[in-house]
Amino acid sequence: FAGSKMYYSTLEKVTGRVYGDLLMVGCNVKELSSGLGPESSVVIRDCKIKNLTFSYSYWTNPGKVKFINCTIDNDDKTLLRIPSYSVGDIQFIDCKIDTGKAPLMEVYDMRSSPGDAIDGTVTFQNCDVRTRASRVVKLPETLQETKKNVTFKSEGSTFNTALIGEMPPAWIISAKDKNGKYVRSSSLQKQERSSSKDRKSKRNKRR
């Protein structure tokens, strides 16, 4: 996918790697798995997607990924796998997303890298996000020290579970409801804590 532009096409059972820019408009996507190269820029607009996974390799420089007005239905598959240092500008705008039992986004490595010098943002704007995982964004079980600044922005979006759990000190959440009013960032982490308490309560009852 080097410098590819695709309009109103059908893609089925495709694997590959994106180098440079990728633009997809009005496409019907089924079973696509692709790596994302250094500083790649991906824009996917008005697409119907079934089982898509994008993966950043280790030590990849930050890039851009934008989904606009897309319906994404992943059967227990993570949509985006990425190291913390590769987070650049990630946007979900006017999208309906369901990733089954898998988190939407998995941050699988948080070691220090030159990519930490570039601040990262993950934005959800007017989206409906659903997953049966405990959180939308999954971090490693053991948080590693990172100097990377990452901001999670939620504007008028709904999540059926916690957006994210415990975060590194340099990471923040900025959230607004559908009326443009700021909401407590802790509310997007609270559901995970509640579900954790519920699990402990159930275990105690069994005893």
Side-chain angles (χ1 to χ4, degrees), residues 19-90:
Y19 293 96
D21 298 342
L22 171 64
L23 174 64
M24 298 171 60
V25 178
C27 294
N28 189 5
V29 180
K30 297 180 180 179
E31 306 290 344
L32 190 153
S33 178
S34 176
L36 296 180
E39 301 174 359
S40 56
S41 178
V42 176
V43 177
I44 300 179
R45 182 192 299 269
D46 302 331
C47 291
K48 185 176 181 181
I49 297 167
K50 179 75 170 179
N51 296 336
L52 165 67
T53 299
F54 282 137
S55 300
Y56 280 88
S57 301
Y58 286 103
W59 314 123
T60 302
N61 290 333
K64 298 179 180 179
V65 179
K66 182 183 291 187
F67 290 88
I68 306 170
N69 193 36
C70 293
T71 299
I72 302 170
D73 183 12
N74 273 16
D75 292 331
D76 305 333
K77 294 183 178 181
T78 298
L79 180 65
L80 180 63
R81 297 187 70 253
I82 187 170
S84 61
Y85 42 79
S86 298
V87 177
D89 184 12
I90 300 171

Coordinates of all heavy atoms in Angstrom, one line a residue, residues 19-90:
Y19 N 3.2 1.9 3.4 CA 4.3 2.9 3.4 C 3.9 4.2 2.8 O 3.3 4.2 1.7 CB 5.5 2.3 2.5 CG 6.1 1.1 3.1 CD1 5.7 -0.2 2.7 CD2 7.1 1.1 4.0 CE1 6.3 -1.4 3.2 CE2 7.7 0.0 4.6 CZ 7.3 -1.2 4.2 OH 7.9 -2.4 4.7
G20 N 4.0 5.3 3.5 CA 3.6 6.5 2.9 C 2.1 6.7 3.3 O 1.6 6.4 4.4
D21 N 1.3 7.2 2.3 CA -0.1 7.6 2.5 C -1.0 6.5 2.0 O -0.8 5.8 0.9 CB -0.4 8.9 1.8 CG 0.4 10.0 2.4 OD1 1.0 9.9 3.5 OD2 0.5 11.1 1.7
L22 N -2.1 6.3 2.7 CA -3.2 5.4 2.2 C -4.5 6.2 2.4 O -4.9 6.6 3.5 CB -3.2 4.1 3.0 CG -4.4 3.2 2.8 CD1 -4.5 2.7 1.4 CD2 -4.4 2.0 3.8
L23 N -5.3 6.2 1.3 CA -6.6 6.8 1.4 C -7.7 5.8 0.9 O -7.5 5.3 -0.2 CB -6.7 8.1 0.5 CG -8.1 8.8 0.3 CD1 -8.6 9.3 1.6 CD2 -8.0 9.9 -0.7
M24 N -8.7 5.6 1.7 CA -9.8 4.7 1.3 C -11.1 5.4 1.5 O -11.4 6.0 2.6 CB -9.8 3.4 2.1 CG -8.5 2.6 1.9 SD -8.4 1.2 3.1 CE -9.9 0.3 2.7
V25 N -11.9 5.5 0.4 CA -13.2 6.2 0.5 C -14.3 5.3 0.0 O -14.2 4.8 -1.1 CB -13.2 7.5 -0.3 CG1 -14.5 8.2 -0.3 CG2 -12.1 8.5 0.2
G26 N -15.4 5.2 0.8 CA -16.5 4.4 0.3 C -16.3 3.0 0.0 O -17.0 2.4 -0.8
C27 N -15.3 2.4 0.7 CA -14.9 1.0 0.4 C -15.7 0.0 1.3 O -16.0 0.3 2.5 CB -13.4 0.8 0.6 SG -12.5 1.7 -0.7
N28 N -15.8 -1.2 0.8 CA -16.3 -2.3 1.6 C -15.1 -3.3 1.9 O -14.5 -3.9 1.0 CB -17.4 -3.1 0.8 CG -18.1 -4.1 1.6 OD1 -17.9 -4.2 2.9 ND2 -19.0 -4.9 1.0
V29 N -14.7 -3.3 3.2 CA -13.5 -4.0 3.6 C -13.8 -5.3 4.4 O -14.6 -5.1 5.4 CB -12.6 -3.1 4.4 CG1 -11.3 -3.8 4.8 CG2 -12.2 -1.9 3.6
K30 N -13.3 -6.4 4.0 CA -13.5 -7.7 4.8 C -12.2 -8.4 4.9 O -11.5 -8.7 3.9 CB -14.5 -8.6 4.0 CG -15.9 -8.0 3.9 CD -16.8 -9.0 3.2 CE -18.2 -8.4 3.0 NZ -19.2 -9.3 2.3
E31 N -11.8 -8.6 6.2 CA -10.6 -9.3 6.5 C -9.3 -8.6 5.9 O -8.7 -9.1 4.9 CB -10.6 -10.8 5.9 CG -11.8 -11.5 6.4 CD -11.8 -11.9 7.9 OE1 -10.7 -11.8 8.5 OE2 -12.9 -12.2 8.4
L32 N -8.9 -7.5 6.5 CA -7.7 -6.8 6.1 C -6.8 -6.7 7.3 O -7.2 -6.2 8.3 CB -8.0 -5.4 5.5 CG -6.9 -4.7 4.8 CD1 -7.4 -3.7 3.8 CD2 -6.0 -3.9 5.8
S33 N -5.5 -7.1 7.1 CA -4.5 -7.0 8.1 C -3.3 -6.4 7.5 O -2.7 -6.9 6.5 CB -4.2 -8.4 8.7 OG -3.2 -8.4 9.6
S34 N -2.8 -5.3 8.1 CA -1.7 -4.5 7.5 C -0.8 -3.9 8.6 O -1.3 -3.4 9.6 CB -2.3 -3.4 6.6 OG -1.2 -2.7 6.1
G35 N 0.5 -3.9 8.3 CA 1.4 -3.2 9.2 C 1.4 -1.7 8.7 O 1.0 -1.4 7.6
L36 N 1.8 -0.8 9.6 CA 1.9 0.6 9.3 C 3.4 1.0 9.4 O 4.0 0.8 10.4 CB 1.1 1.4 10.2 CG -0.4 1.2 10.1 CD1 -1.2 2.1 11.1 CD2 -1.0 1.4 8.7
G37 N 3.9 1.6 8.3 CA 5.3 2.0 8.3 C 5.6 3.3 8.9 O 4.6 4.0 9.4
P38 N 6.8 3.7 9.0 CA 7.2 4.9 9.7 C 6.6 6.1 9.1 O 6.5 6.3 7.9 CB 8.7 5.0 9.5 CG 9.1 3.5 9.3 CD 8.0 2.9 8.6
E39 N 6.0 7.0 9.9 CA 5.4 8.3 9.5 C 4.3 8.1 8.4 O 4.1 9.0 7.6 CB 6.5 9.2 9.0 CG 7.5 9.5 10.1 CD 8.7 10.3 9.7 OE1 8.7 10.7 8.5 OE2 9.6 10.6 10.5
S40 N 3.7 6.9 8.4 CA 2.6 6.7 7.4 C 1.4 7.6 7.8 O 1.2 8.0 9.0 CB 2.2 5.2 7.4 OG 1.8 4.8 8.7
S41 N 0.5 7.8 6.8 CA -0.7 8.6 7.0 C -1.8 7.9 6.4 O -1.9 7.6 5.2 CB -0.6 10.0 6.4 OG -1.8 10.7 6.6
V42 N -2.8 7.5 7.2 CA -3.9 6.6 6.8 C -5.2 7.4 7.0 O -5.5 7.9 8.1 CB -4.0 5.3 7.5 CG1 -5.2 4.5 7.1 CG2 -2.7 4.5 7.3
V43 N -6.0 7.5 6.0 CA -7.4 8.2 6.1 C -8.4 7.2 5.5 O -8.3 6.8 4.3 CB -7.4 9.5 5.4 CG1 -8.8 10.1 5.5 CG2 -6.4 10.5 6.0
I44 N -9.4 6.8 6.3 CA -10.4 5.9 5.9 C -11.7 6.6 6.1 O -12.1 6.9 7.3 CB -10.3 4.5 6.6 CG1 -8.9 3.9 6.4 CG2 -11.4 3.6 6.2 CD1 -8.7 2.6 7.1
R45 N -12.5 6.8 5.0 CA -13.7 7.6 5.1 C -14.9 6.9 4.5 O -14.8 6.2 3.4 CB -13.5 8.9 4.4 CG -14.7 9.9 4.4 CD -14.5 11.0 3.5 NE -13.3 11.8 3.8 CZ -13.3 12.9 4.6 NH1 -14.5 13.3 5.1 NH2 -12.2 13.6 4.8
D46 N -16.0 6.9 5.2 CA -17.3 6.4 4.6 C -17.2 4.9 4.2 O -17.7 4.5 3.2 CB -17.7 7.2 3.4 CG -17.9 8.7 3.7 OD1 -18.2 9.0 4.9 OD2 -17.7 9.5 2.8
C47 N -16.5 4.1 5.0 CA -16.3 2.7 4.7 C -17.0 1.8 5.6 O -17.3 2.1 6.8 CB -14.8 2.4 4.8 SG -13.8 3.2 3.5
K48 N -17.4 0.7 5.1 CA -18.0 -0.4 5.9 C -16.9 -1.5 6.1 O -16.4 -2.0 5.1 CB -19.2 -1.0 5.2 CG -19.9 -2.0 6.0 CD -21.2 -2.5 5.3 CE -21.9 -3.6 6.2 NZ -23.2 -4.0 5.5
I49 N -16.6 -1.7 7.4 CA -15.4 -2.6 7.7 C -15.7 -3.8 8.5 O -16.4 -3.6 9.5 CB -14.3 -1.7 8.4 CG1 -13.9 -0.6 7.5 CG2 -13.1 -2.6 8.8 CD1 -13.1 0.5 8.2
K50 N -15.3 -4.9 8.1 CA -15.5 -6.2 8.8 C -14.1 -6.8 9.0 O -13.5 -7.3 8.1 CB -16.4 -7.1 8.0 CG -16.7 -8.5 8.7 CD -17.6 -8.3 9.9 CE -18.0 -9.7 10.4 NZ -18.9 -9.6 11.6
N51 N -13.6 -6.8 10.3 CA -12.3 -7.4 10.6 C -11.1 -6.8 9.9 O -10.6 -7.3 9.0 CB -12.4 -8.9 10.3 CG -13.4 -9.7 11.1 OD1 -13.8 -9.2 12.2 ND2 -13.8 -10.8 10.6
L52 N -10.7 -5.7 10.5 CA -9.6 -4.9 10.1 C -8.6 -4.8 11.3 O -9.0 -4.4 12.4 CB -10.0 -3.5 9.6 CG -8.8 -2.5 9.4 CD1 -7.9 -2.9 8.3 CD2 -9.4 -1.1 9.2
T53 N -7.3 -5.0 11.0 CA -6.3 -4.8 12.0 C -5.1 -4.1 11.4 O -4.6 -4.5 10.4 CB -5.8 -6.2 12.6 OG1 -6.9 -6.8 13.3 CG2 -4.7 -5.9 13.7
F54 N -4.8 -3.0 12.1 CA -3.5 -2.2 11.7 C -2.5 -2.4 12.9 O -2.9 -2.3 14.0 CB -3.8 -0.7 11.5 CG -4.4 -0.4 10.2 CD1 -5.5 0.6 10.2 CD2 -4.0 -0.9 9.0 CE1 -6.0 0.9 9.0 CE2 -4.5 -0.6 7.8 CZ -5.6 0.4 7.8
S55 N -1.3 -2.7 12.5 CA -0.2 -2.9 13.5 C 1.0 -2.1 13.2 O 1.5 -2.1 12.1 CB 0.1 -4.4 13.6 OG -1.0 -5.2 13.9
Y56 N 1.5 -1.4 14.3 CA 2.7 -0.7 14.2 C 3.8 -1.6 14.7 O 3.7 -2.2 15.8 CB 2.8 0.6 15.0 CG 2.1 1.8 14.4 CD1 0.7 2.0 14.5 CD2 2.8 2.7 13.7 CE1 0.1 3.1 14.0 CE2 2.2 3.8 13.1 CZ 0.9 4.0 13.3 OH 0.3 5.1 12.7
S57 N 5.0 -1.7 14.0 CA 6.1 -2.6 14.5 C 6.8 -1.8 15.6 O 6.7 -0.6 15.8 CB 7.0 -2.9 13.3 OG 6.3 -3.6 12.3
Y58 N 7.7 -2.6 16.2 CA 8.6 -2.0 17.2 C 9.4 -0.8 16.6 O 9.8 -0.9 15.5 CB 9.5 -3.0 17.8 CG 8.9 -4.0 18.8 CD1 8.6 -5.3 18.4 CD2 8.6 -3.6 20.1 CE1 8.0 -6.2 19.2 CE2 8.0 -4.5 21.0 CZ 7.7 -5.8 20.5 OH 7.1 -6.7 21.4
W59 N 9.6 0.2 17.4 CA 10.5 1.4 17.0 C 10.0 2.1 15.8 O 10.8 2.8 15.2 CB 11.9 0.9 16.9 CG 12.4 0.0 18.0 CD1 12.8 -1.3 17.8 CD2 12.4 0.2 19.4 NE1 13.1 -1.8 19.0 CE2 12.8 -0.9 20.0 CE3 12.0 1.3 20.2 CZ2 13.0 -1.0 21.4 CZ3 12.1 1.3 21.5 CH2 12.6 0.1 22.1
T60 N 8.7 2.1 15.5 CA 8.2 2.8 14.4 C 7.9 4.3 14.8 O 7.3 4.5 15.9 CB 6.9 2.2 13.8 OG1 7.2 0.9 13.4 CG2 6.3 3.0 12.7
N61 N 8.3 5.2 14.0 CA 8.0 6.6 14.3 C 6.5 6.9 14.3 O 5.8 6.3 13.6 CB 8.8 7.6 13.4 CG 10.3 7.6 13.6 OD1 10.7 7.3 14.7 ND2 11.0 7.9 12.5
P62 N 6.1 7.9 15.0 CA 4.6 8.3 15.1 C 4.1 8.6 13.7 O 4.7 9.2 12.8 CB 4.6 9.5 16.0 CG 5.8 9.4 16.8 CD 6.9 8.8 15.9
G63 N 2.8 8.2 13.5 CA 2.2 8.4 12.2 C 0.8 8.9 12.5 O 0.4 9.3 13.6
K64 N -0.1 8.9 11.4 CA -1.4 9.5 11.5 C -2.4 8.4 11.0 O -2.2 7.8 10.0 CB -1.6 10.7 10.7 CG -0.7 11.9 11.1 CD -0.9 13.1 10.2 CE 0.0 14.3 10.7 NZ -0.2 15.5 9.8
V65 N -3.5 8.2 11.8 CA -4.6 7.3 11.4 C -5.9 8.0 11.7 O -6.1 8.4 12.8 CB -4.5 6.0 12.2 CG1 -5.6 5.0 11.7 CG2 -3.2 5.3 12.0
K66 N -6.7 8.1 10.7 CA -8.0 8.7 10.8 C -9.1 7.9 10.2 O -9.1 7.6 9.0 CB -8.0 10.1 10.2 CG -9.3 10.9 10.3 CD -9.2 12.3 9.6 CE -8.2 13.2 10.3 NZ -8.3 14.6 9.7
F67 N -10.2 7.6 11.0 CA -11.4 7.0 10.5 C -12.5 8.0 10.6 O -12.7 8.6 11.7 CB -11.7 5.8 11.4 CG -10.8 4.6 11.3 CD1 -9.7 4.5 12.1 CD2 -11.1 3.6 10.4 CE1 -8.8 3.4 12.0 CE2 -10.2 2.5 10.3 CZ -9.1 2.4 11.0
I68 N -13.2 8.2 9.5 CA -14.3 9.2 9.4 C -15.6 8.5 8.9 O -15.6 8.0 7.8 CB -13.9 10.4 8.5 CG1 -12.6 11.0 9.0 CG2 -15.0 11.4 8.5 CD1 -12.0 12.0 8.0
N69 N -16.6 8.6 9.7 CA -17.9 8.1 9.3 C -17.9 6.6 8.8 O -18.3 6.3 7.7 CB -18.5 9.0 8.2 CG -20.0 8.7 7.9 OD1 -20.7 8.4 8.8 ND2 -20.4 8.7 6.7
C70 N -17.2 5.8 9.6 CA -17.1 4.4 9.2 C -17.9 3.5 10.2 O -18.0 3.8 11.4 CB -15.6 4.0 9.3 SG -14.6 4.7 8.0
T71 N -18.3 2.4 9.7 CA -18.9 1.3 10.5 C -17.9 0.2 10.6 O -17.5 -0.4 9.6 CB -20.2 0.8 10.0 OG1 -21.2 1.9 9.9 CG2 -20.8 -0.3 10.8
I72 N -17.4 -0.1 11.8 CA -16.4 -1.1 12.0 C -16.9 -2.2 12.9 O -17.3 -2.0 14.0 CB -15.1 -0.5 12.7 CG1 -14.6 0.7 11.8 CG2 -14.0 -1.5 12.9 CD1 -13.6 1.6 12.5
D73 N -16.9 -3.4 12.4 CA -17.4 -4.6 13.1 C -16.3 -5.7 13.1 O -16.1 -6.4 12.1 CB -18.7 -5.1 12.4 CG -19.3 -6.3 13.2 OD1 -18.8 -6.6 14.3 OD2 -20.1 -7.0 12.6
N74 N -15.6 -5.7 14.2 CA -14.5 -6.7 14.3 C -14.9 -7.9 15.2 O -15.4 -7.7 16.3 CB -13.2 -6.1 14.9 CG -12.3 -5.4 13.8 OD1 -12.8 -5.2 12.7 ND2 -11.1 -5.1 14.2
D75 N -14.7 -9.1 14.7 CA -15.1 -10.3 15.4 C -13.9 -10.6 16.4 O -13.0 -11.4 16.1 CB -15.3 -11.5 14.5 CG -16.5 -11.3 13.7 OD1 -17.5 -10.6 14.1 OD2 -16.6 -11.8 12.5
D76 N -14.0 -10.0 17.6 CA -13.0 -10.3 18.6 C -11.6 -10.0 18.2 O -10.6 -10.7 18.5 CB -13.1 -11.7 19.1 CG -14.5 -12.1 19.6 OD1 -15.2 -11.1 20.0 OD2 -14.9 -13.3 19.5
K77 N -11.4 -9.0 17.4 CA -10.1 -8.6 16.9 C -9.8 -7.1 17.2 O -10.6 -6.2 17.0 CB -10.0 -8.8 15.3 CG -10.1 -10.3 14.9 CD -9.9 -10.4 13.4 CE -9.9 -11.9 13.0 NZ -9.8 -12.1 11.6
T78 N -8.6 -6.9 17.7 CA -8.2 -5.5 18.0 C -8.0 -4.7 16.7 O -7.4 -5.2 15.7 CB -6.8 -5.5 18.7 OG1 -7.0 -6.2 20.0 CG2 -6.3 -4.1 19.0
L79 N -8.5 -3.5 16.7 CA -8.4 -2.7 15.5 C -7.0 -2.1 15.3 O -6.5 -2.1 14.1 CB -9.4 -1.5 15.5 CG -9.5 -0.6 14.4 CD1 -9.9 -1.3 13.1 CD2 -10.4 0.6 14.7
L80 N -6.4 -1.7 16.4 CA -5.1 -1.0 16.2 C -4.1 -1.5 17.3 O -4.4 -1.3 18.5 CB -5.2 0.5 16.3 CG -3.9 1.3 16.2 CD1 -3.3 1.2 14.8 CD2 -4.2 2.8 16.5
R81 N -3.0 -2.1 16.9 CA -1.9 -2.5 17.9 C -0.7 -1.5 17.7 O -0.3 -1.3 16.5 CB -1.5 -3.9 17.6 CG -2.6 -5.0 17.9 CD -2.0 -6.4 17.8 NE -1.1 -6.7 18.9 CZ 0.2 -6.8 18.9 NH1 0.8 -6.5 17.7 NH2 0.9 -7.0 20.0
I82 N -0.3 -1.0 18.8 CA 0.7 0.1 18.6 C 1.6 0.3 19.9 O 1.1 0.1 21.0 CB -0.1 1.4 18.3 CG1 0.9 2.6 18.0 CG2 -1.0 1.8 19.5 CD1 0.1 3.8 17.5
P83 N 2.9 0.5 19.7 CA 3.7 0.9 20.9 C 3.4 2.3 21.3 O 2.9 3.1 20.5 CB 5.1 0.8 20.4 CG 5.0 0.1 19.1 CD 3.7 0.4 18.5
S84 N 3.6 2.7 22.5 CA 3.3 4.0 23.0 C 4.1 5.1 22.2 O 3.5 6.2 21.9 CB 3.6 4.2 24.5 OG 5.0 4.0 24.7
Y85 N 5.3 4.8 21.9 CA 6.1 5.8 21.2 C 5.7 6.0 19.7 O 6.1 7.0 19.1 CB 7.6 5.4 21.2 CG 7.9 4.0 21.0 CD1 7.9 3.4 19.7 CD2 8.1 3.1 22.0 CE1 8.1 2.1 19.5 CE2 8.4 1.8 21.8 CZ 8.4 1.2 20.5 OH 8.6 -0.1 20.3
S86 N 4.8 5.2 19.2 CA 4.3 5.3 17.8 C 3.0 6.1 17.7 O 2.6 6.4 16.6 CB 4.2 3.9 17.2 OG 5.4 3.2 17.1
V87 N 2.5 6.4 18.9 CA 1.2 7.2 18.9 C 1.5 8.6 18.4 O 2.3 9.4 19.0 CB 0.6 7.2 20.3 CG1 -0.7 8.1 20.2 CG2 0.3 5.8 20.8
G88 N 0.8 9.0 17.3 CA 1.0 10.3 16.7 C -0.4 11.0 16.8 O -0.8 11.5 17.8
D89 N -1.1 11.0 15.7 CA -2.5 11.6 15.6 C -3.4 10.5 15.2 O -3.5 10.2 14.0 CB -2.4 12.8 14.7 CG -3.8 13.5 14.6 OD1 -4.6 13.2 15.5 OD2 -4.0 14.3 13.7
I90 N -4.2 10.0 16.1 CA -5.2 8.9 15.9 C -6.6 9.5 16.1 O -6.8 10.0 17.2 CB -4.9 7.7 16.8 CG1 -3.5 7.2 16.5 CG2 -6.0 6.6 16.5 CD1 -3.1 6.1 17.5

